[in-house]
Amino acid sequence: MSNIKAAIVDDEVRNIHILRNILENYCKDVTVVGEAQNINEAAEMIKNNPIDVLFLDIEMPPHNGFQLLEMFPVLNFEVIFITAFQEYALQAIKFAALDYLLKPIKVSEVEDALEKVKKSKKGRLNELASILKDYVKNNDNAFSKIVIPVNDGYNVIDLKDIIYCEAFDSYTKIQLINNVSHLISKSLKEYEEMLSDKGFYRVHKSFLINIHHIVKIIKGLGTAVVMSDQKNIPISSRKKDEFFTQLKGVINL
């Protein structure tokens, strides 16, 4: 992708100017071909100006960025979401493995997001849109899938199939049933934030486990759990009491 055609959608003119200046001054292979301040203007702009990437604000009262995307049956451009809120919308984006920028926008983060756009398959959002829509339409606890990047695209994984997540420096190994695993370039802390209210618990600095895959609890000097793949995982002493309290709410102890 030699020259990237970009559009910016944000309800605040100041934010549009800031992002446009970053793109024009620091991203020489990007051309801003359109701007809009609401979803109706944006839909018209996108129909009339083919683009490669859309920088899309999430909160634009009385609408949001997701409603704009629903106007297009097929999305043949990439989307980089912009948000000032680290709440449900950002959580949805993380679950769907999409790119996002947090306000105030930093030059380095824009550059990183654009590098991902260059390397990705055009229109990859179509593969992930159903996951994102499910999250937005349902409450958090009803959401049961996560999208992870793999070499040739993205895998949609049922949370119930994840046995545990293990830290490897700044990477995370996601261990699934049937002896399948994936190494992801995200920290274990990010997965802890996404999954802690979905039956997962950080029992150790290196392990986040799915409580439903515990098959045995070993008590003694070194308390540990045995998972469904027979992996023996230690429970740190400072986590022990809190862990057993949480476990009682899920299984009969």
Side-chain angles (χ1 to χ4, degrees):
M1 199 181 291
S2 54
N3 185 52
I4 299 172
K5 294 180 180 178
I8 304 169
V9 178
D10 194 307
D11 62 337
E12 294 185 30
V13 175
R14 178 176 174 273
N15 291 333
I16 291 176
H17 289 170
I18 290 171
L19 182 52
R20 186 180 65 217
N21 287 337
I22 290 174
L23 293 172
E24 290 177 348
N25 294 317
Y26 296 94
C27 308
K28 299 303 181 184
D29 52 354
V30 176
T31 302
V32 178
V33 298
E35 301 167 355
Q37 288 182 257
N38 60 64
I39 67 171
N40 293 321
E41 286 179 8
E44 193 65 26
M45 172 190 68
I46 294 168
K47 287 173 186 174
N48 296 325
N49 297 279
I51 59 172
D52 299 304
V53 60
L54 175 65
F55 290 88
L56 178 60
D57 188 19
I58 293 173
E59 297 296 334
M60 296 181 287
H63 303 108
N64 63 54
F66 302 124
Q67 290 171 295
L68 171 62
L69 298 182
E70 288 178 349
M71 295 180 178
F72 295 87
V74 176
L75 299 169
N76 57 2
F77 50 85
E78 300 297 332
V79 176
I80 298 173
F81 288 98
I82 305 169
T83 178
F85 306 100
Q86 298 190 52
E87 296 174 0
Y88 87 93
L90 182 54
Q91 185 81 335
I93 291 164
K94 285 184 175 182
F95 263 93
L98 297 168
D99 298 323
Y100 63 92
L101 301 171
L102 283 176
K103 296 177 182 177
I105 297 170
K106 297 176 183 176
V107 172
S108 60
E109 292 173 356
V110 174
E111 292 173 330
D112 289 345
L114 285 169
E115 279 303 309
K116 293 179 185 177
V117 168
K118 292 174 189 176
K119 294 174 183 176
S120 71
K121 297 177 181 178
K122 192 166 185 178
R124 70 189 173 99
L125 190 62
N126 290 303
E127 304 172 42
L128 315 177
S130 62
I131 302 298
L132 185 61
K133 287 177 183 177
D134 282 349
Y135 192 101
V136 174
K137 289 178 181 176
N138 297 311
N139 60 58
D140 286 4
N141 292 324
F143 193 75
S144 62
K145 295 179 188 291
I146 191 170
V147 177
I148 63 168
V150 292
N151 287 338
D152 58 349
Y154 295 83
N155 281 2
V156 179
I157 294 173
D158 282 316
L159 297 185
K160 63 181 176 57
D161 291 340
I162 300 175
I163 303 174
Y164 62 85
C165 301
E166 182 178 0
F168 283 92
D169 296 322
S170 59
Y171 289 78
T172 297
K173 173 188 173 185
I174 298 180
Q175 183 63 51
L176 305 174
I177 59 174
N178 300 323
N179 202 32
V180 175
S181 64
H182 298 285
L183 192 63
I184 311 298
S185 59
K186 286 186 178 182
S187 68
L188 188 61
K189 180 175 175 57
E190 289 185 70
Y191 283 104
E192 180 184 10
E193 290 171 354
M194 280 192 274
L195 301 175
S196 60
D197 62 346
K198 307 261 185 301
F200 288 75
Y201 189 80
R202 182 87 173 260
V203 295
H204 185 275
K205 66 178 182 179
S206 298
F207 290 98
L208 176 72
I209 67 170
N210 185 342
I211 288 173
H212 299 285
H213 277 279
I214 296 173
V215 297
K216 186 177 181 179
I217 298 171
I218 303 170
K219 291 188 175 182
L221 291 176
T223 304
V225 290
V226 179
M227 306 304 289
S228 60
D229 66 344
Q230 299 308 304
K231 173 79 170 179
N232 190 315
I233 293 178
I235 302 173
S236 69
S237 55
R238 65 185 185 85
K239 292 276 191 176
K240 194 184 303 182
D241 292 341
E242 184 182 312
F243 170 64
F244 283 116
T245 299
Q246 175 147 337
L247 207 57
K248 285 177 183 177
V250 179
I251 62 177
N252 240 344
L253 287 180

